[in-house]
């Protein structure tokens, strides 16, 4: 039926007329209409048939008018609603209004009517409402306010409940100055009532003092059972605990993390909220201070913050109740903490278990739960400081591996039992050790100062020296700790720990490889590249799995090969590894991101940085989308690399902003004199230098050099880099070539000493030559330029810019020697090379400047026109 | 019982977008169609985030549109600083945003499956879908496509479906936003409902 919109409008009119007729008149009327409009026949018949064959609960205009009226106006004293007469409004909530009312036709009985706000009628909603009402009606318990009636009036649903004249429980306890055991017994009653509801598959979801009243007779009554949820989403009766998802108008002060997060609601939710209530009854305080906080902050607090232990909170109060603190400490603290765990599955299994522990306490019996609290709190606390903790990945790997061993052991066959038992013992000792280490770094034990990865590690190392565990345990731990230090770029510590591993025969294959990796990497960081590569290649890696360790070793190898100027080889390896990672793990994986970064670095081009910048941004995008990010430090590292590229690409403001962001992140993980800050300050100084922030730049370089010298030694390559940077600053910005010369010479000597005359040396040799020229040391300058020009011309991967730069410097020298024609030739070559190959980079500008000077000299000597930049550009 | 009061007292800092959204809603309800895109853009990230939580936390790929609307209103509105005259209009825009969020979500899910088994919608399912927007395993993409088709035939009827299914709006609320009588809304709904069901015969 190909009808036009106009045809459809006609169908619509006819259709709406038809369906409003009494059912028995429809067929005849339909036939008549169809006869009138033959081209609409098919559509109209089909529409009407569809309409009649499907059940329909659409509200009529009359009903919606009634509901609008009720929604807006509310009910006043004396109004009639259903069979009840309203006495007064008691309160209103997100779900509706509550009125005190009485039935006017029978016995005078005061009731509370809750009229639910907005909902649209639909068939299933009504069915559920009925089902729910039946369950609630069956919920007969002395401590639960009874459901008397429920129904719908217009399109408004309502519940009628037993009216309880009482006081919220927290207020009641305070006003009557109840003793601790009295409060606990009241709490026990609440637990029994909630547990009873749970056994009827009803979860309260909105437990809070306002819903738990105590009558004048001292009887507890729970209100509002199961009705805190709008009807539309009330579940079917069978799977109450599975289907309740989401929250609407919850009370944050009495909400569990899963409610805040809109996750599935289970009985655990009530356990948690009862924990909050217990906290309140024990301390008269709220477990969390939420007053004045934004919704976002509330979310964070409820999801992440552990409540202060009740006994500790009491200690802080200005007027604590005498003796209470002592009574709370221990068992009651433990009960509250256990109920208030963030993960539902970690809490008490159910409310009965919670109630049982309260009974145990009152009867001076041992609790069901043991004091596993410290480890739990610690883990939680560590999770909050995601950065420091993420630095400890290696430790967690060991911990996980140890647990796995214990588990595996139970499955090993008899012959291997002895061997396995030894392993098991080692594993258990390792686990205990690590747990102890974390425990002692627990911020609550260390007076709340923020714990850094460094603190935890130091603690670990100390403990290792003091406890003197068996060699097997000790070696495994030393390896793990060394790896962590390596991750944190603390090479001294890493190396020193690695050297303490006395006997590698105890190590499993993974640990043995780790050890080699630690040693090779720390050698490489000190600039001993060849020995590092030799060491790495001396070990045959039979790495079956392409896991984290495999990729790390391969990356280290690539870096070393590149450090030896084997550029093409490094580039090819990087490409292969990237493809491998993509094939194995996909293009949105951690490994792919890291390998893309490696590839981007290897194909990095000083003269055109845009592709690298784009790659790095892609890497950052992938890393940021990982949840959880397995190694957040890699994200920071990528950001730092991006920052360097941005600087190279003249995007200084962006680079400096990124550096400030990074400094803040780093401070969470590293001590302020950590070598990572040296790297950061060096990069920052470079950006400052190039954007005319000379003073700040010198300051940054000096800070950087100080840390490098302290951590890596006066003669390390990294110290050399900062010296080069300072020299460049003196040379170009401060016009002090003498100071620059001294710094250049210090730095170049270090390059030669550490890795021979490789790329770095020659790259830095060129500005050094410039410096010599400014000091009129022409012979030395020429020697330096020739040496490096030769290197760049014969290097396997040509750096056009370096050649151009060298050519322009050589031209300088030639001008000085009076060989103007040769100089002119070199200049033209140099400029052409730059323009042909590169965009608008700082180097081009530098050469441009030189050209201007030379052009002037040439012009004076020969009075010839030197083509300027613009003409060449066309 | 006074849940709103508790929430108000702790929500002292207004959501930075709240006033802007409220202002734009006012303009929109005064007939300025230009601001609609802007409103959708402002609200999209909020609702996307809430929806993300929902999808992550539920076992099936279930979305509860009413929950989404309620959550969005609670989070975006700041009860204290803004007098929400425009709640119905908020719901209407939210419905549009939710539709978009849902369609984006399932579209990306579909493209991830690389054309795996496409679930087929039965008549029963569509009926379920229309009567009860909370039903699991809807083919939202198909509904979206059907709505597009419907809007070419009768834009008003399509809007009613959008408001009801994605925004959980009642007939009086829709009448207010669309500035028509409740019975007109009801007629549009009847028509749209049968038309949609008919597509699956």
């Amino acid at each position: 039926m190909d009808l036009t919109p106009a045809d459809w409008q006609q169908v619509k009119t006819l259709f709406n007329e038809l369906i409003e007729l009494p059912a028995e008149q429809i067929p005849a009327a339909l036939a008549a209409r169809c006869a009138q409009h033959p081209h609409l026949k098919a559509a109209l018949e089909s529409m009407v048939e569809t309409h009649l064959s499907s059940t329909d609960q659409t509200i009529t205009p009359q009903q919606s008018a009634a509901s609008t009226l009720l929604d807006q106006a509310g009910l006043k004293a004396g109004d009639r609603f259903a069979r009840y007469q309203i006495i007064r409004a008691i309160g209103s909530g997100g779900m509706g209004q509550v009125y005190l009312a009485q039935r006017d036709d029978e016995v005078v009985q005061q009731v509370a009517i809750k009229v639910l706000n907005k909902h649209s009628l639909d068939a299933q909603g009504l069915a559920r409402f009925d089902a729910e009402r039946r369950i609630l009606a069956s919920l007969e318990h002395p401590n639960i306010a009874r459901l008397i009636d429920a129904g719908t009036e217009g399109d408004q649903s309502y519940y009628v409940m037993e009216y309880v004249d009482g006081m919220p429980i927290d207020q009641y306890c305070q006003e009557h100055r109840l003793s601790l055991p009295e409060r606990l017994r009241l709490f026990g009653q609440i637990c029994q009532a909630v547990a009873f509801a749970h056994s009827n598959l009803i979860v309260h979801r909105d437990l809070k003092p306002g819903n738990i009243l105590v009558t004048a007779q001292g009887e507890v009554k729970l209100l509002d059972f199961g009705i805190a949820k709008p009807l539309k989403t009330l579940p079917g009766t069978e799977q109450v605990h599975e289907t309740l998802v989401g929250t609407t108008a919850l009370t944050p002060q009495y909400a569990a993390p899963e409610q805040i997060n809109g996750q599935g609601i289970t009985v655990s939710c009530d356990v948690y909220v009862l924990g909050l209530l217990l906290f309140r009854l024990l301390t008269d305080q709220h477990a969390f201070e939420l007053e004045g906080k934004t919704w976002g902050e509330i979310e964070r607090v409820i999801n992440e913050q552990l409540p202060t232990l009740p006994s500790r909170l009491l200690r802080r109060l200005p007027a604590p109740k005498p003796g209470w603190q002592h009574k709370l400490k221990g068992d009651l603290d433990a009960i509250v903490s256990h109920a208030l765990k963030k993960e539902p599955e970690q809490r008490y299994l159910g409310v009965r278990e919670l109630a049982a522990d309260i009974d145990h306490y009152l009867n001076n019996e041992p609790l069901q739960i043991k004091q596993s609290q410290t480890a739990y709190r610690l883990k939680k606390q560590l999770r909050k400081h995601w950065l420091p903790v993420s630095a400890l990945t290696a430790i967690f790997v060991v911990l996980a591996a140890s647990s796995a061993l214990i588990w595996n052991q139970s499955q090993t066959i008899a012959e291997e039992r002895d061997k396995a038992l030894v392993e098991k013992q080692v594993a258990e000792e390792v686990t205990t050790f690590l747990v102890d280490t974390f425990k002692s770094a627990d911020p609550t034990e260390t007076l709340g100062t923020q714990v850094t990865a460094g603190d935890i590690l130091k603690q670990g190392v100390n403990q290792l020296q003091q406890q003197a565990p068996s060699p097997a345990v000790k070696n495994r731990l030393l390896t793990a700790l060394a790896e962590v230090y390596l991750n944190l770029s603390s090479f001294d510590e890493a190396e020193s720990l690695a050297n303490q591993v006395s006997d590698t025969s105890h190590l499993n294959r993974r640990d043995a490889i780790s050890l080699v990796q630690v040693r090779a990497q720390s050698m490489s960081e000190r600039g001993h590249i060849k020995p590092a590569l030799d060491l790495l290649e001396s070990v045959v890696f039979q790495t079956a799995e392409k896991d984290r360790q495999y990729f790390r070793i391969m990356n280290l190898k690539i870096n070393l090969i590149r450090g030896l100027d084997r550029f093409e080889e490094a580039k090819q390896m990087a490409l292969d590894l990237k493809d491998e990672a993509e094939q194995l793990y996909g293009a949105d994986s951690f490994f792919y991101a890291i390998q893309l970064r490696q590839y981007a670095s290897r194909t990095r081009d000083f003269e055109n940085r845009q592709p690298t910048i784009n790659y790095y941004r892609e890497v950052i995008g992938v890393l940021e989308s990982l949840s959880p990010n397995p190694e957040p430090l890699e994200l920071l590292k990528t950001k730092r690399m991006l920052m360097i590229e941005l600087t190279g690409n003249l995007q200084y403001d962006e680079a400096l902003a990124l550096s400030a962001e990074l400094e803040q992140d780093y401070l969470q993980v590293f001590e302020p004199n950590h070598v990572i800050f040296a790297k950061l300050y060096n990069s920052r100084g470079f950006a400052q230098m190039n954007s005319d922030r000379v003073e700040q730049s010198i300051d940054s370089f000096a800070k950087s050099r100080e840390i490098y010298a302290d951590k890596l030694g006066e003669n390390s390559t990294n110290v050399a880099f900062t010296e080069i940077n300072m020299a460049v600053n003196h040379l170009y910005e401060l016009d002090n070539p003498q100071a620059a010369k001294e710094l250049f010479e210090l730095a170049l000597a270090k390059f030669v000493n550490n890795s021979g005359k490789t790329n770095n040396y020659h790259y830095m040799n060129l500005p050094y030559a410039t410096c010599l020229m400014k000091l009129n040391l022409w012979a030395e300058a020429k020697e330096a330029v020739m040496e490096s020009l030769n290197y760049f011309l014969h290097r396997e991967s040509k750096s056009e810019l370096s050649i151009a730069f060298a050519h322009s410097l050589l031209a300088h020298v030639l001008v000085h020697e009076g060989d103007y024609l040769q100089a002119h030739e070199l200049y033209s070559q140099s400029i052409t090379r730059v323009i042909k190959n590169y965009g608008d980079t700082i180097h081009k500008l530098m050469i441009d400047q030189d050209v201007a000077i030379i052009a002037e000299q040439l012009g004076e000597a020969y009075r010839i026109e030197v083509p300027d930049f613009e003409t060449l550009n066309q | 019982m006074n849940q709103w009061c508790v929430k108000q007292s702790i929500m002292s800092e207004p959501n930075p977008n709240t006033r802007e959204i409220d202002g734009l809603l006012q303009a929109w309800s005064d007939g300025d169609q230009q601001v609609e895109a802007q409103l959708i853009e402002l609200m999209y990230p909020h609702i996307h985030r809430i929806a993300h939580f929902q999808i992550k936390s539920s076992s099936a790929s279930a979305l509860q549109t009413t929950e989404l609307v309620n959550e969005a209103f609670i989070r975006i509105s700041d009860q204290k600083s803004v007098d929400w005259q425009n709640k119905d209009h908020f719901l209407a825009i939210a419905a549009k945003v939710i539709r978009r969020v849902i369609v984006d979500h399932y579209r990306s899910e579909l493209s991830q499956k690389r054309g795996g088994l496409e679930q087929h919608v039965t008549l029963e399912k569509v009926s379920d879908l229309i009567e009860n927007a909370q039903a699991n395993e809807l083919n939202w993409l198909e509904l979206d496509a059907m709505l597009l088709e419907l809007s070419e035939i009768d834009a008003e009827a399509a809007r009613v479906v959008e408001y009801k299914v994605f925004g959980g709006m009642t007939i009086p609320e829709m009448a207010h936003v669309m500035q028509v009588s409740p019975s007109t809304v009801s007629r549009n709904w009847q028509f749209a409902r049968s038309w949609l069901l008919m597509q699956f015969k």
Side-chain angles (χ1 to χ4, degrees):
Chain A
M1 34 185 172
D2 287 330
L3 300 183
T4 64
D7 290 338
W8 274 113
Q9 286 306 316
Q10 217 175 344
V11 171
K12 185 180 180 183
T13 312
L14 298 170
F15 168 79
N16 278 315
E17 282 168 17
L18 284 168
I19 62 170
E20 278 169 25
L21 295 171
E24 64 278 8
Q25 293 176 19
I26 293 181
L30 175 62
R33 303 290 199 285
C34 289
Q36 276 175 339
H37 310 278
H39 66 297
L40 303 179
K41 183 171 188 277
L44 192 58
E45 277 179 356
S46 180
M47 288 285 289
V48 173
E49 191 195 325
T50 308
H51 173 81
L52 293 175
S53 63
S54 59
T55 52
D56 185 7
Q57 305 293 331
T58 313
I59 50 177
T60 64
Q62 288 77 17
Q63 281 175 312
S64 48
S67 79
T68 312
L69 195 73
L70 281 171
D71 267 343
Q72 288 172 350
L75 298 168
K76 296 176 296 296
D79 282 354
R80 297 279 300 271
F81 184 85
R83 290 187 302 279
Y84 302 89
Q85 187 169 19
I86 304 298
I87 299 174
R88 63 182 160 88
I90 307 176
S92 70
M95 299 308 152
Q97 290 76 42
V98 185
Y99 304 97
L100 177 63
Q102 65 184 26
R103 266 188 90 146
D104 48 4
D105 51 353
E106 292 176 6
V107 239
V108 179
Q109 181 195 12
Q110 291 205 333
V111 295
I113 299 187
K114 183 156 187 167
V115 181
L116 298 181
N117 264 350
K118 176 198 104 148
H119 70 281
S120 44
L121 284 183
D122 62 46
Q124 291 189 11
L126 271 179
R128 287 172 180 176
F129 177 74
D130 280 344
E132 191 71 10
R133 191 181 58 182
R134 277 197 301 277
I135 304 174
L136 290 173
S138 71
L139 209 60
E140 293 253 8
H141 189 276
N143 298 117
I144 296 176
R146 209 156 42 84
L147 180 81
I148 296 167
D149 191 8
T152 48
E153 180 82 3
D155 75 340
Q156 299 235 290
S157 298
Y158 63 92
Y159 288 91
V160 180
M161 291 165 294
E162 175 186 354
Y163 173 66
V164 179
D165 188 10
M167 192 187 278
I169 184 164
D170 52 343
Q171 214 177 323
Y172 181 89
C173 289
Q174 285 174 41
E175 286 194 9
H176 291 77
R177 297 172 174 273
L178 293 195
S179 69
L180 193 55
E182 283 170 327
R183 289 175 189 224
L184 288 172
R185 274 190 277 274
L186 276 184
F187 181 75
Q189 282 185 41
I190 300 168
C191 288
Q192 296 304 340
V194 175
F196 173 77
H198 285 177
S199 62
N200 283 284
L201 295 177
I202 298 196
V203 182
H204 193 292
R205 283 165 296 161
D206 196 24
L207 284 170
K208 57 185 173 181
N211 276 341
I212 305 168
L213 302 187
V214 186
T215 63
Q217 293 76 40
E219 206 183 357
V220 172
K221 288 273 190 188
L222 270 61
L223 311 182
D224 258 9
F225 241 105
I227 60 177
K229 197 91 172 148
L231 283 179
K232 215 172 168 187
T233 50
L234 273 183
T237 57
E238 296 80 16
Q239 328 125 320
V240 171
H241 53 289
E242 282 169 14
T243 52
L244 291 173
V245 171
T247 56
T248 44
L250 51 87
T251 315
Q253 194 69 68
Y254 288 93
E258 60 266 35
Q259 281 176 296
I260 293 284
N261 300 332
Q263 290 157 359
I265 308 282
T266 65
V267 290
S268 271
C269 190
D270 281 352
V271 169
Y272 182 93
V273 178
L274 285 171
L276 290 172
L277 182 71
L278 179 59
F279 192 106
R280 173 95 176 137
L281 296 184
L282 295 178
T283 62
D284 290 337
Q285 308 296 316
H286 288 301
F288 298 108
E289 194 52 65
L290 300 178
E291 201 75 27
K293 288 197 163 47
T294 63
W295 184 247
E297 287 167 343
I298 290 168
E299 274 186 13
R300 198 191 53 73
V301 167
I302 293 179
N303 276 317
E304 292 172 14
Q305 191 177 311
L306 286 173
T308 319
L309 292 175
S311 64
R312 291 197 191 188
L313 186 76
L314 278 194
R315 195 168 58 193
R316 279 194 229 142
L317 293 180
K321 298 190 189 73
W324 278 47
Q325 186 199 326
H326 178 69
K327 286 180 198 154
L328 296 191
K329 199 166 178 173
D331 285 355
L332 289 174
D333 277 350
I335 293 173
V336 169
S337 308
H338 199 62
L340 289 183
K341 286 185 172 174
K342 302 296 183 196
E343 301 82 0
E345 66 279 5
Q346 302 266 353
R347 296 173 201 147
Y348 281 102
L349 220 54
V351 175
R352 283 199 200 289
E353 286 73 13
L354 169 59
D357 259 356
I358 295 288
D359 278 348
H360 290 313
Y361 172 79
L362 286 170
N363 301 329
N364 290 319
E365 293 158 359
L367 301 190
Q368 285 176 340
I369 47 149
K370 296 287 175 219
Q371 290 262 2
S372 62
Q373 304 298 320
T374 321
Y376 171 80
R377 289 178 68 84
L378 176 73
K379 212 172 102 202
K380 204 74 221 173
Q381 197 71 31
L382 289 178
R383 186 172 305 165
K384 199 166 89 184
H385 305 293
W386 64 275
L387 270 173
V389 170
S390 65
L392 303 176
T393 319
I395 287 217
F396 285 111
V397 169
V398 171
L399 195 57
S402 299
S403 324
L405 275 170
I406 294 173
W407 182 78
N408 276 332
Q409 195 276 325
S410 63
Q411 308 200 333
T412 39
I413 48 172
E415 300 95 83
E416 292 186 351
R417 189 177 296 150
D418 285 351
K419 200 178 145 204
L421 274 176
V422 174
E423 262 299 316
K424 181 189 171 192
Q425 205 181 344
V426 171
E428 276 172 355
E429 277 184 59
V430 168
T431 307
T432 314
F433 171 82
L434 290 171
V435 168
D436 282 354
T437 300
F438 288 148
K439 201 154 101 185
S440 50
D442 181 352
T444 60
E445 305 291 325
T446 55
L447 299 172
T449 50
Q450 181 162 342
V451 61
T452 66
D455 296 338
I456 301 173
L457 281 177
K458 259 181 235 155
Q459 189 68 38
V461 175
N462 283 343
Q463 217 157 321
L464 195 55
Q465 311 300 2
Q466 285 165 16
Q467 285 185 353
S470 65
V473 173
K474 186 166 180 176
N475 288 339
R476 182 173 293 174
L477 284 167
L478 283 169
T479 310
L481 288 169
E483 204 183 329
V484 177
Y485 271 118
L486 191 68
N487 290 347
L488 292 169
S489 314
S490 301
F491 307 108
D492 278 340
E493 288 87 346
E495 209 174 16
S496 130
L497 287 169
N499 289 336
Q500 289 176 44
V501 177
S502 48
D503 179 2
T504 51
S505 64
H506 285 299
L507 297 175
N508 59 30
R509 192 175 50 84
R510 192 197 168 277
D511 286 348
I513 297 175
S514 285
L515 203 60
V516 171
Q517 185 198 339
V518 168
R519 288 187 172 139
Q521 184 146 7
S522 74
M523 280 168 147
S524 132
E525 291 290 336
R526 281 166 211 285
H528 307 309
I529 300 190
K530 190 75 179 67
L533 187 61
D534 290 344
L535 175 64
L536 209 56
E537 284 178 335
S538 73
V539 184
V540 180
F541 295 112
Q542 297 159 322
T543 31
E545 307 123 90
K546 310 283 184 185
D547 58 0
R548 176 170 160 275
Q549 195 179 39
Y550 167 78
F551 284 108
R552 293 184 74 162
I553 297 261
M554 291 305 285
N555 282 328
L556 179 55
K557 204 164 163 185
I558 292 173
N559 291 342
L560 292 171
I561 285 173
R562 184 232 160 219
L564 293 170
D565 282 358
R566 286 148 62 184
F567 298 106
E568 289 306 318
E569 193 184 340
K571 202 188 282 184
Q572 190 56 46
M573 280 177 74
L575 179 63
D576 293 345
L577 211 54
K578 171 177 79 82
D579 292 344
E580 192 174 14
E582 186 176 7
Q583 253 175 14
L584 289 172
Y585 297 97
D588 50 2
S589 66
F590 173 76
F591 289 124
Y592 171 72
I594 297 301
Q595 293 318 127
L596 177 63
R597 186 180 72 193
Q598 173 68 284
Y599 175 70
S601 307
R602 296 292 67 85
T603 54
R604 172 171 175 235
D605 184 342
F606 286 126
E607 290 92 14
N608 181 11
R609 300 182 190 249
Q610 202 54 51
T612 316
I613 288 177
N614 296 343
Y615 281 136
Y616 286 168
R617 291 223 157 103
E618 186 185 339
V619 173
I620 290 172
V622 174
L623 291 179
E624 278 179 341
S625 71
L626 293 174
S627 168
N629 185 340
E631 290 180 51
L633 289 184
E634 295 294 349
L635 176 59
L636 299 189
K637 190 173 165 194
T638 316
K639 283 185 177 173
R640 199 175 68 80
M641 293 164 77
L642 174 62
M643 182 210 152
I644 293 169
E645 289 309 303
L646 288 170
T647 307
N649 211 29
L650 316 186
Q651 291 164 275
Y652 302 120
D653 290 338
E654 278 181 59
L656 287 172
L658 198 55
S659 112
E661 187 186 319
L662 272 169
E663 189 173 18
Q664 288 313 310
D665 288 342
Y666 282 158
L667 281 170
Q668 284 189 52
V669 187
F670 304 103
E671 319 230 314
N673 65 342
H674 191 280
V675 76
I676 199 102
F677 286 100
K679 291 185 181 180
L680 181 68
Y681 295 145
N682 186 47
S683 319
R684 177 187 288 175
F686 192 71
Q688 289 164 333
M689 176 170 77
N690 287 325
S691 54
D692 291 331
R693 297 163 167 102
V694 182
E695 300 288 319
Q696 295 169 25
S697 148
I698 287 177
D699 188 45
S700 298
F701 288 135
K703 271 158 77 182
S704 172
R705 189 192 184 284
E706 192 184 334
I707 298 172
Y708 275 137
D710 180 37
K711 293 284 168 182
L712 302 180
E714 271 290 338
N715 291 320
S716 61
T717 304
N718 284 324
V719 169
F721 276 119
T722 58
E723 284 168 350
I724 293 281
N725 284 332
M726 285 194 261
V728 169
N729 229 341
H730 280 293
L731 181 64
Y732 291 109
E733 307 294 337
L734 296 172
D735 203 21
N736 183 354
Q738 189 55 43
K741 178 171 177 280
E742 283 159 25
L743 285 162
F744 272 126
E745 282 163 0
L746 283 172
L748 290 170
K750 286 173 189 131
F751 283 135
V752 176
N753 193 36
N754 291 337
S755 44
K757 292 189 174 181
T758 58
N759 187 50
N760 282 336
Y761 169 83
H762 290 289
Y763 200 70
M764 299 310 168
N765 207 20
L766 294 178
Y768 173 58
T770 314
C771 176
L772 291 173
M773 288 178 209
K774 289 208 175 180
L775 290 166
N776 276 320
L777 300 167
W778 294 97
E780 290 93 330
K782 187 174 185 182
E783 195 186 328
V785 172
M786 291 306 288
E787 182 191 18
S788 295
L789 178 60
N790 215 28
Y791 169 83
F792 285 121
L793 284 172
H794 296 100
R795 208 178 73 173
E796 92 182 91
S797 157
K798 297 246 186 305
S799 164
E800 296 287 336
L801 181 75
S802 299
I803 295 172
F805 188 30
H807 272 157
S808 79
L809 289 179
L810 189 57
H812 259 299
V813 178
L814 292 173
V815 167
H816 178 259
E817 289 175 353
D819 189 352
Y820 294 111
L821 273 178
Q822 183 65 17
H824 179 224
E825 176 58 27
L826 279 177
Y827 263 111
S828 306
Q829 274 187 29
S830 161
I831 294 167
T832 315
R833 208 183 279 274
V834 171
I835 293 165
K836 216 169 84 186
N837 290 289
Y838 315 113
D840 190 21
T841 68
I842 182 149
H843 307 282
K844 187 176 81 179
L845 298 178
M846 270 164 63
I847 293 182
D848 196 14
Q849 242 176 14
D850 288 344
V851 169
I853 298 166
I854 297 286
E856 210 176 302
Q857 291 175 359
L858 279 174
E860 275 179 21
Y862 283 111
R863 303 203 176 273
I864 48 171
E865 285 287 315
V866 173
D868 65 5
F869 224 72
E870 293 305 313
T871 31
L872 276 171
N873 217 356
Q874 292 149 16
Chain B
M1 300 196 183
N2 215 340
Q3 292 146 338
W4 280 110
C5 288
V6 175
K7 189 160 269 182
Q8 278 170 31
S9 69
I10 49 180
M11 286 185 62
S12 60
E13 244 178 71
N15 183 312
N17 285 340
T18 300
R19 279 169 196 286
E20 195 177 356
I21 289 175
D22 192 49
L24 289 171
L25 279 175
Q26 187 58 51
W28 190 68
S29 67
D30 290 343
D32 183 356
Q33 295 302 314
Q34 310 265 315
V35 301
E36 190 177 298
Q38 211 178 332
L39 271 168
I40 289 176
E41 200 162 303
L42 273 172
M43 281 163 60
Y44 190 95
H46 294 280
I47 289 178
H48 183 262
R49 193 166 149 258
I50 300 164
H52 185 66
F53 269 124
Q54 257 199 26
I55 292 165
K56 241 177 34 183
S57 59
S58 54
S59 50
S61 52
L63 265 167
Q64 309 216 356
T65 52
T66 313
E67 298 294 321
L68 270 177
V69 173
N70 286 336
E71 273 299 295
F73 187 70
I74 289 168
R75 297 208 189 181
I76 296 175
S77 71
D78 174 27
Q79 303 291 309
K80 210 182 201 174
S81 62
V82 176
D83 179 18
W84 281 83
Q85 301 278 356
N86 303 314
K87 178 161 181 182
D88 292 348
H89 293 92
F90 175 93
L91 293 177
I93 291 289
K96 289 174 189 296
V97 177
I98 287 170
R99 178 174 169 190
R100 199 172 281 196
V101 167
I102 289 174
V103 167
D104 287 352
H105 169 76
Y106 286 103
R107 194 164 284 156
S108 76
E109 199 175 65
L110 198 67
S111 69
Q112 277 164 22
K113 284 182 194 160
R114 303 233 161 99
L117 277 181
E118 207 174 319
Q119 28 168 293
H120 211 76
V121 175
T122 60
L123 180 61
E124 197 182 5
K125 264 189 183 160
V126 177
S127 165
D128 198 25
L129 168 161
I130 295 168
E131 299 298 352
N132 173 30
Q134 275 74 44
N136 289 357
E137 293 169 18
L138 296 177
N139 192 325
W140 292 96
L141 295 180
E142 213 153 333
L143 174 66
D144 182 61
M146 276 159 41
L147 280 180
L148 277 177
E149 207 179 313
L150 177 59
S151 67
E152 306 211 330
I153 292 167
D154 189 326
E156 284 223 337
R159 268 173 83 195
V160 167
V161 178
E162 182 176 62
Y163 289 157
K164 185 164 160 60
V165 173
F166 294 96
M169 293 173 74
T170 60
I171 286 185
E173 285 166 348
M174 291 189 269
H176 178 207
V177 168
M178 299 172 77
Q179 295 182 322
V180 294
S181 70
S183 54
T184 304
V185 175
S186 181
R187 281 197 203 100
N188 274 314
W189 170 243
Q190 299 280 20
F191 172 70
R193 183 177 164 281
S194 288
W195 186 87
L196 286 168
L197 288 175
M198 198 178 71
Q199 303 307 306
F200 287 90
K201 277 196 167 174

